[in-house]
Amino acid sequence: MRERFQIQFLEEAAEFLENLDEKARDKVIYNIHKARYSTEKELFKKLNNEIWEFRTLYNRIHYRLFAFWDKTGKTETMVISSHGIIKKTSKVPEKEIEKAERLRKQYFERKQL
């Protein structure tokens, strides 16, 4: 099976992962790897036109890593993970989607420099 995309973590997403306990972090990373080869919405789900989320449920805790696509490269499709949260409600907080959109905008502005 062919991978659908490469993954890159922005600083805040990497820090989120580093601060998780080892087993939770391993599960999140495993699910991200699995999502690269799968189209399961339980693993990687579109939230709006630009923002997606990597989804992990581990020990009844919902972990979310927000992400967006960077298709500007000629050879690879890249998914950029902006930041993560431990979700406490069934609905994704709008402020987290807005934060991901803001980080996406900053990413592409820096990339053009």
Side-chain angles (χ1 to χ4, degrees):
M1 197 187 279
R2 192 170 83 77
E3 74 179 20
R4 298 169 40 222
F5 55 83
Q6 294 289 317
I7 181 84
Q8 178 180 336
F9 299 97
L10 297 182
E11 184 177 344
E12 199 169 326
E15 287 175 7
F16 173 77
L17 288 171
E18 287 172 15
N19 290 324
L20 295 177
D21 73 68
E22 185 179 357
K23 287 186 179 187
R25 180 176 50 248
D26 289 349
K27 180 66 173 181
V28 170
I29 290 170
Y30 171 80
N31 280 354
I32 290 170
H33 177 75
K34 193 172 169 185
R36 292 170 53 205
Y37 296 91
S38 168
T39 57
E40 288 180 53
K41 287 187 176 162
E42 288 304 312
L43 296 174
F44 191 50
K45 181 180 175 187
K46 187 174 189 175
L47 298 175
N48 66 21
N49 285 340
E50 305 293 344
I51 305 302
W52 292 64
E53 67 176 351
F54 288 104
R55 304 158 53 95
T56 299
L57 175 61
Y58 178 71
N59 279 349
R60 295 190 301 241
I61 299 173
H62 296 269
Y63 299 91
R64 298 294 186 260
L65 275 165
F66 295 90
F68 54 88
W69 292 82
D70 179 352
K71 297 180 181 179
T72 59
K74 300 291 184 218
T75 57
E76 295 178 345
T77 300
M78 184 73 65
V79 171
I80 311 300
S81 179
S82 61
H83 70 290
I85 63 169
I86 294 175
K87 201 167 112 178
K88 294 177 173 54
T89 64
S90 61
K91 189 167 169 45
V92 176
E94 190 62 36
K95 71 177 186 160
E96 298 299 339
I97 295 172
E98 291 167 2
K99 181 177 182 176
E101 289 170 338
R102 188 173 63 252
L103 291 168
R104 177 185 178 276
K105 183 179 177 194
Q106 290 172 357
Y107 169 85
F108 283 112
E109 285 171 354
R110 285 190 200 120
K111 190 172 180 175
Q112 290 179 354
L113 297 178

